[in-house]
Amino acid sequence: MDKFKHEIRLSGSGGQGLITAGIILAKAAVIDGVNVTQTQSYGPESRGGASRADVIISNDEFDFPEATKFNALLSLTQEACDKYSPNLRPGGTLIVDSTFVKNVSIMEGTIYEQPFTQIASEKLGTTLPTNILSLAFMVKITNIVSIAALKEAVIASVKPAYADLNRKAMKLGFDLADKNKAEV
Amino acid sequence: MAKKSKKNIVLMQGNEAIARGAIAAGVNFFAGYPITPSTEVAEILSIELPKNGGKFIQMEDEIASISAIIGGSLAGAKVMTATSGPGFSLMQEGIGYAKITETPCVVVNVMRGGPSTGLPTKPSQSDIMQTRWGSHGDSPAIVLYPNSVLESYELSIRAVNLAEKYRTCVILLSDEVLGHMREAIEIPEIDESKIIKRIKPNTPPEWYKHYPENPKYISPVASIGEGYRFHVTGLTHDSFGFPTNRADEAEIMNDRLKKKITHHLDDLIQVEDYMMDDAKIAVFAAGITSRAAKEAVRNSRAKRHKVGMFRPLTIWPFPEQMIRDKFKDVKAVIVPELAEGQLLGELKRVLRKTNIKFYPIQKTNGELITPDDISEAIKEVRK
């Protein structure tokens, strides 16, 4: 089997659930049986302020736990997109929430612009599971973990009362990705 | 070969690993005051300790927290507290008191940016010297610093064991990234034979000395309420614990505090030596920074460069002799640290009789030193 190492950054502002999404992605990698680390960076505020989660997934040995050159970057705010998109690897995947991110430019790689927050609000009646919706989109586009592992990790991580809502958010993300893949 | 069972593999955070390690080591009393980035240690123990027959108490501040665990330990409990820079500063008085009264306890310090309240959510390694010299008086220290989630678990157990064995305050360091980082680990089975329990006195109560003269400097200890009489004071004391001004008795006491560390260096010191055998260039790093160092060294070795990494897991006592032995053929050493030369200064002291050149990399802006930063330095040194 070929060796791989995916460096993933999920970025936005505090309260958007990015660290939760990072932990869920890392759990999915554990289910897939590969090596993983998850780190995070946030400010002293309990909401607002810049926030990010890094996940490194590999079937090989690695030591440094922060993502430096991203194979995949999710940005839910303009600020995060401006700050981190220059460190996308050539051939990497940039996924932005076009509800908030209006200007995107990268030298190399593929850009996906989707109004995740707006879709969650319209289709689910709440913006809360935007993190899961966009994570599901990212996983379906990039195959960094298996769909089955992601589903298992999401359900294991959310309170039972919110399991259905998150299942719906995942399905929206997967369907949106399928639609986009077809267009590309 | 049978495929390794994955059933025990879990995604765990560094701070959680410290808490789980404490329980595995038999900690049954934790008193603390929550502070970022150490809060999860207290949070998890507040849930888990009562389930395991232990007690958790949230105190009004860090001075009260260290005082409470010292009291708990004197009463026979295995104790821990956890904090970060600002709280660690407040605990210094209590740490000195635990050392002079030879009361086993563990203080976890998850380092964040300083000075003062500094950068609460950012990593730092700038308490290295405070763990050694933070409390007034010559107070020999045992300080451990892991670099992974699994090692956080293992060294948490080891910190409790060493505190019990050597009757002192052991400091377990971590940092914001290590404390909050999650990794997949297989929790080791607890080996009860490796859990150290306090040696109990077997003398009749009327003969009991709380601080006996002992050639190994490790002595049995009674707990309050077991029928033994002893006195506990922060003043310099005699073998029964009563204050003394006699020079001979003061000398015996201070000698014991020092020698119980210096006579057991082999038991206390742990290091990781990665590719050091033929290394001409060494990277000396601890904690989270060693993760970047190892990656840079690995990449450098792939290009057949003779580079190695030396990592102390035991920060104090500083592994002086091992460093001198391992650095015999080293020409240059790169010292990356999230501080302004704390490890560097100590390393320079140890290697002062050599011609080794020193290349510091220091960051105190809340960001990590990356493998690229170290690779750049290796390139620079090789010029």
Side-chain angles (χ1 to χ4, degrees), chain B residues 202-208 228:
Chain B
N202 52 13
T203 50
E206 59 274 23
W207 293 358
Y208 177 68
Y228 295 85

mmCIF file of all heavy atoms in Angstrom, chain B residues 202-208 228:
data_model
loop_
_atom_site.group_PDB
_atom_site.id
_atom_site.type_symbol
_atom_site.label_atom_id
_atom_site.label_comp_id
_atom_site.label_asym_id
_atom_site.label_seq_id
_atom_site.Cartn_x
_atom_site.Cartn_y
_atom_site.Cartn_z
ATOM 1 N N ASN B 202 7.979 -0.142 60.598
ATOM 2 C CA ASN B 202 7.674 -1.350 61.383
ATOM 3 C C ASN B 202 8.239 -1.247 62.808
ATOM 4 O O ASN B 202 8.290 -2.213 63.539
ATOM 5 C CB ASN B 202 8.184 -2.613 60.680
ATOM 6 C CG ASN B 202 9.648 -2.498 60.303
ATOM 7 O OD1 ASN B 202 10.341 -1.591 60.763
ATOM 8 N ND2 ASN B 202 10.119 -3.403 59.468
ATOM 9 N N THR B 203 8.663 -0.026 63.165
ATOM 10 C CA THR B 203 9.163 0.194 64.530
ATOM 11 C C THR B 203 7.972 0.430 65.461
ATOM 12 O O THR B 203 6.899 0.835 65.002
ATOM 13 C CB THR B 203 10.040 1.462 64.588
ATOM 14 O OG1 THR B 203 9.308 2.533 63.960
ATOM 15 C CG2 THR B 203 11.355 1.284 63.874
ATOM 16 N N PRO B 204 8.163 0.173 66.765
ATOM 17 C CA PRO B 204 7.102 0.532 67.702
ATOM 18 C C PRO B 204 6.879 2.047 67.669
ATOM 19 O O PRO B 204 7.842 2.791 67.447
ATOM 20 C CB PRO B 204 7.671 0.124 69.077
ATOM 21 C CG PRO B 204 8.825 -0.767 68.778
ATOM 22 C CD PRO B 204 9.337 -0.422 67.421
ATOM 23 N N PRO B 205 5.625 2.509 67.816
ATOM 24 C CA PRO B 205 5.319 3.935 67.682
ATOM 25 C C PRO B 205 6.233 4.848 68.504
ATOM 26 O O PRO B 205 6.612 5.921 68.032
ATOM 27 C CB PRO B 205 3.866 4.030 68.157
ATOM 28 C CG PRO B 205 3.293 2.698 67.854
ATOM 29 C CD PRO B 205 4.420 1.714 68.053
ATOM 30 N N GLU B 206 6.619 4.395 69.742
ATOM 31 C CA GLU B 206 7.421 5.305 70.579
ATOM 32 C C GLU B 206 8.845 5.487 70.052
ATOM 33 O O GLU B 206 9.547 6.403 70.453
ATOM 34 C CB GLU B 206 7.421 4.834 72.049
ATOM 35 C CG GLU B 206 7.956 3.446 72.303
ATOM 36 C CD GLU B 206 6.890 2.349 72.148
ATOM 37 O OE1 GLU B 206 5.879 2.580 71.451
ATOM 38 O OE2 GLU B 206 7.078 1.245 72.708
ATOM 39 N N TRP B 207 9.299 4.603 69.148
ATOM 40 C CA TRP B 207 10.646 4.743 68.574
ATOM 41 C C TRP B 207 10.618 5.496 67.239
ATOM 42 O O TRP B 207 11.656 5.763 66.658
ATOM 43 C CB TRP B 207 11.285 3.367 68.314
ATOM 44 C CG TRP B 207 11.592 2.579 69.553
ATOM 45 C CD1 TRP B 207 11.399 2.955 70.850
ATOM 46 C CD2 TRP B 207 12.140 1.259 69.594
ATOM 47 N NE1 TRP B 207 11.777 1.965 71.700
ATOM 48 C CE2 TRP B 207 12.242 0.895 70.950
ATOM 49 C CE3 TRP B 207 12.560 0.338 68.606
ATOM 50 C CZ2 TRP B 207 12.739 -0.338 71.357
ATOM 51 C CZ3 TRP B 207 13.049 -0.888 69.008
ATOM 52 C CH2 TRP B 207 13.138 -1.229 70.394
ATOM 53 N N TYR B 208 9.439 5.768 66.725
ATOM 54 C CA TYR B 208 9.312 6.274 65.348
ATOM 55 C C TYR B 208 9.941 7.644 65.153
ATOM 56 O O TYR B 208 9.695 8.579 65.904
ATOM 57 C CB TYR B 208 7.834 6.342 64.942
ATOM 58 C CG TYR B 208 7.610 6.927 63.565
ATOM 59 C CD1 TYR B 208 8.020 6.238 62.426
ATOM 60 C CD2 TYR B 208 7.011 8.180 63.395
ATOM 61 C CE1 TYR B 208 7.827 6.770 61.162
ATOM 62 C CE2 TYR B 208 6.807 8.710 62.139
ATOM 63 C CZ TYR B 208 7.218 8.000 61.018
ATOM 64 O OH TYR B 208 7.034 8.528 59.775
ATOM 65 N N TYR B 228 1.340 6.847 65.148
ATOM 66 C CA TYR B 228 2.709 7.340 65.284
ATOM 67 C C TYR B 228 2.679 8.836 65.559
ATOM 68 O O TYR B 228 1.853 9.549 65.000
ATOM 69 C CB TYR B 228 3.513 7.066 64.014
ATOM 70 C CG TYR B 228 3.702 5.597 63.731
ATOM 71 C CD1 TYR B 228 2.733 4.866 63.059
ATOM 72 C CD2 TYR B 228 4.855 4.947 64.155
ATOM 73 C CE1 TYR B 228 2.897 3.522 62.816
ATOM 74 C CE2 TYR B 228 5.043 3.602 63.912
ATOM 75 C CZ TYR B 228 4.054 2.888 63.242
ATOM 76 O OH TYR B 228 4.231 1.548 62.997
#
